[in-house]
Amino acid sequence: MATVAAPSHVDLVLNVDNINPNVKAMEYAVRGPLVIRAGEIEKELAMGVKKPFTEVIKANIGDAQAMGQKPITFIRQVISLVAYPDLLSSKEFPEDVKSRARAILESSRGSAGCYSDSAGLELVRNHVAKYIERRDGFPADPSNIILCAGASEGIRSTLKMLSTISGPRTGIMIPIPQYPLYSASIVEYNMEQAGYYLDEDNDWGLDVAELERAVKEARKRCNVRGIVVINPGNPTGQVLTRDNIVEVIKFAHREKLFIFADEVYQDNVYADNREFHSFKKVTKELGDPYDKLELASFLSCSKGYMGECGLRGGYAEIVNMDPEVKALYLKSISAKLCPTVLGQAVMDCVVNPPQPGEPSYELFSKEKAAVLKSLSERASMIAKAFNSIPGIKCNTVQGAMYAFPEVKIPEKAVAKAKSLGQAPDVFFAFQLLEQTGMCCVPGSGFGQRPGTYHFRTTILPQPEKLQIMLDKFRSFQESFLKEYQ
Amino acid sequence: MATVAAPSHVDLVLNVDNINPNVKAMEYAVRGPLVIRAGEIEKELAMGVKKPFTEVIKANIGDAQAMGQKPITFIRQVISLVAYPDLLSSKEFPEDVKSRARAILESSRGSAGCYSDSAGLELVRNHVAKYIERRDGFPADPSNIILCAGASEGIRSTLKMLSTISGPRTGIMIPIPQYPLYSASIVEYNMEQAGYYLDEDNDWGLDVAELERAVKEARKRCNVRGIVVINPGNPTGQVLTRDNIVEVIKFAHREKLFIFADEVYQDNVYADNREFHSFKKVTKELGDPYDKLELASFLSCSKGYMGECGLRGGYAEIVNMDPEVKALYLKSISAKLCPTVLGQAVMDCVVNPPQPGEPSYELFSKEKAAVLKSLSERASMIAKAFNSIPGIKCNTVQGAMYAFPEVKIPEKAVAKAKSLGQAPDVFFAFQLLEQTGMCCVPGSGFGQRPGTYHFRTTILPQPEKLQIMLDKFRSFQESFLKEYQ
């Protein structure tokens, strides 16, 4: 490939000193330098470079299918018919698949190639509202449902509404540790992060005293207007109790905060003593004045039992938003035209799955249950294994797709990291990657209490590979401690 | 559906006075109030309300399949196999479709359900680079190709890089009339629009004297750093001559501007005396120093002959960007995770279509040629018809998918519009909609010289419907003139 010499820095319109400073400042650790290095190592392996391992295990990102999970047949059948309606006459597809595909096509004016409304197809928005009603036992209004290309897009569109240009910057409370979409988008939108620590000693629960400390502290420097709660937790894997949710709602009411309920892992609950409660449901149960709180709740087809990350489907439910503000919200997403119609079709399958008596029901239920059972087993297995390794402490993985263990990094290793200009947890994660091929994200990408060190790993490698990964991790940690203790 | 009374304005975290002022200020006319009203009329018709017409003709948006265009078989076959790989064993699909699908699946780690790199699948980026090389006769580097969910996303990600927070705002030169994605995004990103008028009397060409006037004028109030050129033009339908492109490139070099080459209609050229020249190709032909200019060029699967709007595929080619800036660009898109893998697969079909000798070649070529021939016929038909209607003047539609005729609005109608608080062209478009069901976008949504009035219509209704639409338009205009002249 011929390449042209890069023009000299000073001649350029765009250089690192004059680009958008918020773009420059944002960080997204899940795809950061460690992951870039993992990609390089994969290429080195492919070229035959010798390593102490034969493959990179990408435990950095919640990408179930990349780790070997099979797609749900029903979803893929519907998508293939929507994409190529000639198949509607094939005898190879069950009738319920065909009727779902026909309904989506009809709502989409006959073709997935037509733009939908910016908020999505009416049919899918109706199905989402019914899904929420079944889940919560409270009504949901289809006009409050905004379909989006993955939950991230919905979260970003909603966060953006709170941004300001002049005057004090908007503060958004986010958990520490948090999912770095939030820290990145907050910086991009010129807002301020107001972190509140999750309580690691109490299963990563939310402590109201800590919320109060955090908001008081943040209000000295910005105008705190929103709170993000991730439940089940990413990267922390906790599932909040209903009592804990009630406390957060009352806090949000007292402090006049817009609630961002990141509930994308609502199907991923493994702990016997926990169940998923949506923030919206609890506000409705609490009644006045809490049922008037403004909140947005998000779901994605990338997580749950389906793991359809690449197909990009999701929704935001916007509750109690001022009608004029909602009109402006809809306007703000219109320039993006519409989320992918096939991604919307995936969401339709998720919120309107096969019912008992329909031909796809049995296979669908079997596939869904198998995925969730296996994830539950891996969640137990991983926490147990980590807790048996010296220097590692891991909370129960009650839900979601991650463990976020604490690692005690010996002083000699901290000193070594400093000599390399790396944070200690980054040094640890790089060592782990280079020696074992395991790609985990250092805790500093999510945030952690000063002086503590963590890493996030997904629970997504298939059971056999997960066992290999945990064995490798144990050997690594033993020799790491031997070297630096 | 039970609804809860909206909370009173003052109690809310988010109200129209405290939301993001840039979100509040942005406008996107292609989906504005007129289009909302068109949707209401459709619902009224469905409920049996009597109107002087039986259907709404949505000529407001470049959505070919919504206007009856059939998808390209090859594309849809590939997508259905990628979505549901069990079909790879079916005898119903040609071998070249299967081999394309297999290659995409392999590049996507076996499933379209895996996240791709944020910049897209390596395979597709390679194919895009080869496509550009074939088109231009100059090398393209796959690492400069960023896949995106429709060109809009790529344009927005690139524009965003030039935004600033403090100090003088960034100015971006855009054509007037322009495609409102630009005006909307410029406002959203806190930048300033620096409009340059296209020369309606010269087939909507670019006049360098006007560019110079515009940049000089804009530099009094902002830091002009970029220029957008839409070629073939939207809403104006012109195809720039190579000489005109050379002039713009030299202007951009003199004024140190980043070139945004919106080339999404590159396959839509109808005029015998015009052909498409990419800005990148012309900079390379000009050689030093012009071949060092920073530019971004965009393509989409929503336009051309495929019209796959709902599938959301596109790419940006980023040329001569400072390597450090490019690294920050890639970081900035990483929090969005990735564009839809199926949309990427559509782009793969577009840039790597069936070749002579392959089983799908004949049907693909036939379908593609038929669409482009019909569009070309409709482009002629629409301009001819408009020019035969009193009070309407329409340039030749040399390319793209739109006509942007000038309409002389009589003074009495201007007065009537003012009495209703409407711009005259908005009044005209609303009257047209209410009386004929034709939904066109008023010229003010794109920009026009003060005192002139236009509207944009697509050329996308199928020939029969287009004839009906033009006949309806003629009667409307005759009675409109009778009423107000």
Side-chain angles (χ1 to χ4, degrees):
Chain A
M1 183 70 52
T3 50
V4 178
S8 76
H9 184 98
V10 289
D11 288 338
L12 292 171
V13 178
L14 264 186
N15 61 51
V16 283
D17 299 323
N18 68 13
I19 71 158
N20 184 334
N22 290 340
V23 166
K24 193 169 164 184
M26 66 166 276
E27 294 295 345
Y28 184 68
V30 174
R31 296 199 159 197
L34 194 98
V35 183
I36 294 169
R37 176 66 191 134
E40 289 168 6
I41 292 176
E42 276 188 324
K43 287 197 173 155
E44 290 169 17
L45 285 171
M47 292 186 313
V49 177
K50 282 271 176 235
K51 303 265 175 194
F53 50 88
T54 55
E55 67 168 332
V56 172
I57 300 178
K58 287 204 171 159
N60 59 296
I61 192 164
D63 189 349
Q65 296 191 23
M67 291 283 99
Q69 184 178 308
K70 294 275 163 287
I72 300 289
T73 304
F74 173 76
I75 295 178
R76 295 308 192 90
Q77 287 182 329
V78 170
I79 302 311
S80 68
L81 293 195
V82 173
Y84 188 48
D86 284 23
L87 292 170
L88 283 165
S89 58
S90 157
K91 290 186 181 133
E92 303 298 311
F93 292 86
E95 267 314 311
D96 53 348
V97 165
K98 291 184 182 177
S99 66
R100 294 296 199 291
R102 276 194 205 98
I104 292 165
L105 284 166
E106 195 179 319
S107 180
S108 187
R109 285 174 288 171
S111 171
C114 302
Y115 288 121
S116 74
D117 284 350
S118 302
L121 298 171
E122 196 171 350
L123 176 90
V124 185
R125 296 170 80 193
N126 288 338
H127 287 161
V128 168
K130 283 189 188 135
Y131 162 84
I132 294 170
E133 287 179 20
R134 287 195 307 274
R135 184 193 68 191
D136 291 347
F138 290 95
D141 181 345
S143 79
N144 287 342
I145 308 299
I146 318 286
L147 296 172
C148 36
S152 303
E153 189 184 51
I155 292 167
R156 286 165 59 83
S157 299
T158 315
L159 266 178
K160 190 194 292 172
M161 297 294 290
L162 279 80
S163 169
T164 49
I165 303 302
S166 55
R169 298 212 287 182
T170 296
I172 302 288
M173 298 187 74
I174 59 173
I176 304 293
Q178 53 102 31
Y179 174 53
L181 168 72
Y182 292 100
S183 50
S185 301
I186 285 170
V187 169
E188 184 181 330
Y189 298 145
N190 203 41
M191 305 199 285
E192 290 233 4
Q193 170 176 326
Y196 61 88
Y197 288 110
L198 298 177
D199 186 358
E200 184 163 13
D201 294 333
N202 186 22
D203 277 334
W204 296 112
L206 271 75
D207 173 20
V208 172
E210 167 59 13
L211 293 175
E212 276 162 358
R213 181 206 64 75
V215 76
K216 197 173 152 192
E217 154 73 25
R219 286 213 159 114
K220 291 177 194 158
R221 58 191 162 85
C222 59
N223 178 19
V224 181
R225 298 172 70 194
I227 181 169
V228 172
V229 183
I230 310 174
N231 177 45
N234 175 8
T236 38
Q238 83 280 26
V239 178
L240 298 184
T241 62
R242 188 179 176 287
D243 286 350
N244 206 174
I245 292 173
V246 169
E247 291 174 316
V248 175
I249 289 170
K250 291 187 171 173
F251 168 79
H253 177 258
R254 279 199 303 279
E255 298 293 338
K256 242 188 134 190
L257 302 176
F258 190 108
I259 298 173
F260 292 82
D262 181 338
E263 298 175 329
V264 300
Y265 297 98
Q266 58 192 260
D267 276 316
N268 301 98
V269 176
Y270 315 120
D272 290 336
N273 60 343
R274 294 292 160 102
E275 61 179 313
F276 171 72
H277 301 275
S278 80
F279 267 77
K280 183 186 167 200
K281 184 193 73 167
V282 179
T283 61
K284 296 299 170 196
E285 287 169 349
L286 289 174
D288 188 66
Y290 306 107
D291 59 355
K292 311 292 184 300
L293 278 176
E294 294 150 271
L295 78 83
S297 163
F298 308 94
L299 186 59
S300 163
C301 70
S302 304
K303 311 301 171 187
Y305 56 90
M306 46 284 176
E308 293 288 13
C309 302
L311 301 184
R312 312 309 294 130
Y315 76 74
E317 184 190 18
I318 306 293
V319 185
N320 290 328
M321 188 175 266
D322 176 282
E324 284 181 273
V325 173
K326 196 165 95 177
L328 292 167
Y329 185 104
L330 289 169
K331 188 191 69 175
S332 79
I333 61 172
S334 69
K336 294 192 293 183
L337 295 163
C338 73
T340 153
V341 170
L342 293 177
Q344 296 181 48
V346 177
M347 279 315 286
D348 192 61
C349 296
V350 170
V351 295
N352 184 30
Q355 297 304 306
E358 291 188 317
S360 300
Y361 179 72
E362 202 177 325
L363 179 63
F364 173 82
S365 305
K366 207 178 93 185
E367 289 176 344
K368 175 179 170 178
V371 169
L372 290 175
K373 178 162 176 277
S374 174
L375 283 173
S376 177
E377 286 164 1
R378 282 177 269 165
S380 303
M381 173 178 162
I382 208 166
K384 209 169 137 186
F386 277 131
N387 283 323
S388 74
I389 297 173
I392 307 291
K393 202 175 78 185
C394 184
N395 275 331
T396 309
V397 179
Q398 301 172 335
M401 297 183 165
Y402 315 96
F404 194 68
E406 186 181 2
V407 50
K408 297 279 176 214
I409 300 185
E411 271 177 40
K412 253 173 79 185
V414 171
K416 173 81 179 178
K418 274 189 185 142
S419 76
L420 296 169
Q422 285 181 325
D425 60 337
V426 173
F427 171 70
F428 179 85
F430 265 105
Q431 291 296 307
L432 180 66
L433 173 65
E434 298 286 352
Q435 290 177 36
T436 70
M438 249 185 97
C439 180
C440 295
V441 187
S444 48
F446 306 90
Q448 53 201 351
R449 281 195 183 269
T452 69
Y453 306 111
H454 301 75
F455 60 92
R456 185 186 85 164
T457 175
T458 73
I459 61 168
L460 296 175
Q462 293 297 299
E464 260 180 56
K465 193 166 282 178
L466 187 61
Q467 189 58 60
I468 296 171
M469 180 179 108
L470 290 167
D471 292 345
K472 280 186 176 184
F473 185 89
R474 183 185 305 275
S475 322
F476 166 80
Q477 173 71 353
E478 281 165 3
S479 58
F480 186 83
L481 288 180
K482 201 173 288 170
E483 186 171 353
Y484 292 105
Q485 212 152 38
Chain B
M1 183 69 54
T3 49
V4 178
S8 77
H9 184 99
V10 289
D11 288 339
L12 292 171
V13 178
L14 265 185
N15 62 52
V16 283
D17 299 323
N18 68 13
I19 70 157
N20 184 333
N22 291 340
V23 166
K24 192 169 164 183
M26 66 166 275
E27 295 295 346
Y28 185 68
V30 174
R31 297 199 158 197
L34 195 98
V35 183
I36 292 169
R37 175 67 191 134
E40 289 168 5
I41 292 177
E42 276 187 324
K43 287 196 173 157
E44 290 169 16
L45 286 171
M47 290 187 313
V49 178
K50 281 271 175 234
K51 303 264 176 194
F53 50 89
T54 54
E55 68 166 333
V56 172
I57 301 177
K58 287 203 171 159
N60 58 295
I61 190 163
D63 189 350
Q65 295 191 22
M67 292 282 97
Q69 185 179 307
K70 294 274 164 289
I72 300 289
T73 304
F74 173 75
I75 294 177
R76 295 308 192 92
Q77 288 182 329
V78 170
I79 303 310
S80 67
L81 293 195
V82 172
Y84 188 47
D86 284 24
L87 293 169
L88 283 165
S89 57
S90 158
K91 290 186 180 133
E92 302 300 311
F93 292 86
E95 266 314 312
D96 52 349
V97 166
K98 291 184 184 177
S99 66
R100 294 296 198 292
R102 275 193 205 99
I104 293 164
L105 283 166
E106 195 178 321
S107 180
S108 187
R109 285 173 288 171
S111 171
C114 303
Y115 288 122
S116 73
D117 283 351
S118 302
L121 298 170
E122 195 170 353
L123 176 89
V124 184
R125 297 170 79 191
N126 288 338
H127 287 161
V128 169
K130 283 189 188 136
Y131 162 84
I132 295 170
E133 288 179 20
R134 287 195 307 274
R135 184 193 69 189
D136 291 348
F138 290 94
D141 181 345
S143 78
N144 287 342
I145 308 299
I146 318 287
L147 297 173
C148 36
S152 303
E153 188 184 52
I155 292 167
R156 287 165 58 82
S157 300
T158 315
L159 266 178
K160 189 193 292 171
M161 296 294 289
L162 280 80
S163 170
T164 49
I165 302 300
S166 55
R169 297 211 288 182
T170 296
I172 302 288
M173 297 187 76
I174 61 173
I176 304 293
Q178 53 101 31
Y179 173 54
L181 168 72
Y182 292 101
S183 50
S185 302
I186 284 170
V187 169
E188 184 182 329
Y189 298 145
N190 202 42
M191 307 199 284
E192 290 233 4
Q193 170 175 327
Y196 61 88
Y197 288 110
L198 298 177
D199 186 357
E200 184 163 11
D201 294 332
N202 187 22
D203 277 335
W204 297 112
L206 272 74
D207 173 19
V208 172
E210 167 59 13
L211 294 176
E212 276 162 358
R213 180 205 65 75
V215 76
K216 197 171 151 194
E217 154 73 24
R219 286 214 159 114
K220 292 176 194 159
R221 56 190 163 86
C222 58
N223 177 18
V224 181
R225 298 172 71 194
I227 181 169
V228 172
V229 183
I230 310 175
N231 178 45
N234 175 7
T236 40
Q238 83 281 23
V239 178
L240 299 183
T241 62
R242 189 180 177 286
D243 285 352
N244 207 175
I245 293 172
V246 169
E247 291 174 316
V248 175
I249 288 169
K250 291 187 172 173
F251 167 79
H253 176 257
R254 279 198 302 280
E255 299 293 338
K256 240 188 135 193
L257 301 176
F258 190 109
I259 299 173
F260 291 83
D262 181 337
E263 299 174 328
V264 300
Y265 298 98
Q266 58 192 261
D267 276 317
N268 300 99
V269 176
Y270 316 120
D272 290 337
N273 61 343
R274 294 294 160 100
E275 60 179 314
F276 171 73
H277 300 275
S278 80
F279 267 78
K280 183 185 167 201
K281 184 193 74 168
V282 180
T283 60
K284 297 298 171 195
E285 286 169 350
L286 289 173
D288 188 67
Y290 306 107
D291 59 354
K292 310 291 183 301
L293 278 176
E294 293 150 271
L295 77 83
S297 163
F298 307 95
L299 186 58
S300 164
C301 69
S302 304
K303 312 300 171 188
Y305 56 90
M306 47 283 177
E308 293 288 13
C309 303
L311 301 184
R312 313 308 296 128
Y315 76 73
E317 185 191 17
I318 306 294
V319 185
N320 290 328
M321 187 175 267
D322 177 281
E324 284 180 273
V325 173
K326 196 166 95 178
L328 291 167
Y329 185 104
L330 289 170
K331 186 190 72 175
S332 79
I333 60 172
S334 68
K336 295 191 292 182
L337 294 162
C338 72
T340 152
V341 170
L342 293 176
Q344 296 182 48
V346 177
M347 281 314 288
D348 193 60
C349 296
V350 170
V351 296
N352 184 31
Q355 297 304 306
E358 289 189 317
S360 300
Y361 179 72
E362 203 177 324
L363 179 63
F364 172 83
S365 305
K366 207 178 95 184
E367 289 176 343
K368 175 179 170 178
V371 170
L372 291 175
K373 178 162 176 279
S374 174
L375 283 173
S376 177
E377 286 163 2
R378 282 177 269 166
S380 303
M381 174 179 163
I382 209 166
K384 210 169 139 187
F386 277 131
N387 283 323
S388 74
I389 296 173
I392 307 291
K393 203 176 79 183
C394 184
N395 275 330
T396 309
V397 180
Q398 300 172 335
M401 296 182 167
Y402 315 96
F404 194 69
E406 185 180 2
V407 50
K408 296 279 176 213
I409 299 186
E411 271 175 42
K412 253 175 77 186
V414 171
K416 173 81 179 179
K418 274 189 187 144
S419 76
L420 296 169
Q422 285 183 325
D425 60 338
V426 173
F427 171 70
F428 179 85
F430 266 105
Q431 291 295 307
L432 180 67
L433 173 65
E434 297 286 352
Q435 290 177 36
T436 69
M438 251 185 95
C439 180
C440 294
V441 187
S444 49
F446 306 91
Q448 52 201 351
R449 280 195 182 270
T452 69
Y453 306 110
H454 300 75
F455 60 93
R456 185 187 84 164
T457 175
T458 73
I459 61 169
L460 295 175
Q462 292 298 299
E464 258 180 58
K465 194 167 281 179
L466 187 62
Q467 189 57 60
I468 295 171
M469 179 178 107
L470 290 168
D471 292 344
K472 279 186 177 184
F473 186 89
R474 183 185 304 274
S475 322
F476 166 80
Q477 172 71 352
E478 282 165 2
S479 58
F480 186 83
L481 289 179
K482 201 173 287 169
E483 186 171 354
Y484 291 105
Q485 211 152 40

